[in-house]
Amino acid sequence: MSKLTLIIAVRTSDFSEYAKRLQLRDALDLADVDTILVDDGSPASVSSEVEGFCRERSYTYIRLQTEELPFSLSRARNAGIDASSTEWICFEDIDLAYRSDFYQRLMRELDLLDETPFNFLTVPAVYLSAAQSDRVFSNGMDAEYERALTAALLEDPRGHDFNSSLQHYAPASSVVAVRRRTRALCRRIRRKLCRLGR
């Protein structure tokens, strides 16, 4: 049984650019990792393309028929949570690139949380320049990882015209891994808070 579920939300009228970014995941070690891509209201013509992409990779595809509503990241993530069954869930943006062993390393870090009072982990992110992104698309993240890491250490973390690889650095990003049972706890707390408010 898998240990971690990745939940990725998308809405798009043109999947080609997202597909290019998601293809970088083909190089990842996804042993014990499930991937759920939640489509929050893409047009039907595009959703079939996204579904086919997911099927080729054994990703779970969920389409929400919400095209008449504004995109909702929380609605998409909640649908992904409801469809997951692993101990840990991880929220991700669609445009992230990782070294091939990232998830295996992340799961080792999650094991260490058993020794702490914490039920979640945030991951820092390096936002790459357009030039560095092109190098990642051409060479893969494993080949460009050291350059990106060095940029995070040596280039201006706020971004600057003289940076060659780094757009900016975020010590905490939207990549959050959380124990799935935390969701149930939050629901119970929210219900109790609602009762107190009456």
Side-chain angles (χ1 to χ4, degrees):
M1 183 176 165
S2 298
K3 175 177 181 149
L4 176 68
T5 298
L6 312 177
I7 299 172
I8 304 168
V10 65
R11 176 186 278 187
T12 184
S13 57
D14 179 6
F15 185 59
S16 58
E17 193 61 33
Y18 288 129
K20 178 182 173 185
R21 294 169 186 272
L22 286 169
Q23 284 168 348
L24 292 171
R25 293 174 178 269
D26 293 346
L28 300 176
D29 179 354
L30 293 174
D32 299 320
V33 178
D34 296 335
T35 301
I36 299 175
L37 195 141
V38 182
D39 184 342
D40 185 48
S42 294
S45 58
V46 176
S47 70
S48 60
E49 184 182 352
V50 180
E51 184 175 18
F53 181 94
C54 291
R55 188 174 32 255
E56 290 172 7
R57 289 158 177 82
S58 298
Y59 296 172
T60 299
Y61 174 74
I62 299 171
R63 180 171 189 266
L64 305 179
Q65 295 183 1
T66 53
E67 46 272 36
E68 301 302 319
L69 301 171
F71 173 76
S72 171
L73 183 59
S74 61
R75 179 176 54 229
R77 287 179 170 178
N78 285 335
I81 291 168
D82 290 342
S84 70
S85 60
T86 57
E87 177 184 6
W88 290 93
I89 52 177
C90 184
F91 302 115
E92 297 198 350
D93 294 336
I94 203 164
D95 61 348
L96 297 171
Y98 300 110
R99 209 166 75 170
S100 59
D101 65 347
F102 172 78
Y103 291 112
Q104 302 309 311
R105 296 175 69 178
L106 176 61
M107 286 189 288
R108 286 193 297 271
E109 293 295 324
L110 294 175
D111 285 340
L112 294 174
L113 287 183
D114 289 338
E115 302 169 17
T116 75
F118 300 106
N119 286 318
F120 69 95
L121 179 80
T122 62
V123 178
V126 173
Y127 291 79
L128 302 177
S129 66
Q132 181 63 48
S133 294
D134 288 343
R135 288 190 289 269
V136 168
F137 286 125
S138 296
N139 306 323
M141 192 62 204
D142 281 3
E144 293 298 326
Y145 180 77
E146 295 301 325
R147 184 195 309 251
L149 186 60
T150 299
L153 297 172
L154 300 178
E155 293 184 4
D156 188 335
R158 297 167 296 177
H160 196 281
D161 291 342
F162 64 74
N163 285 4
S164 64
S165 296
L166 181 70
Q167 187 180 65
H168 65 277
Y169 171 73
S173 72
S174 61
V175 180
V176 179
V178 62
R179 281 190 202 274
R180 191 173 188 285
R181 70 175 184 233
T182 305
R183 160 100 171 172
L185 176 63
C186 289
R187 281 183 174 168
R188 285 196 305 271
I189 291 170
R190 200 166 43 238
R191 281 195 302 266
K192 287 182 180 178
L193 290 175
C194 290
R195 283 189 211 118
L196 292 174
R198 288 186 198 170

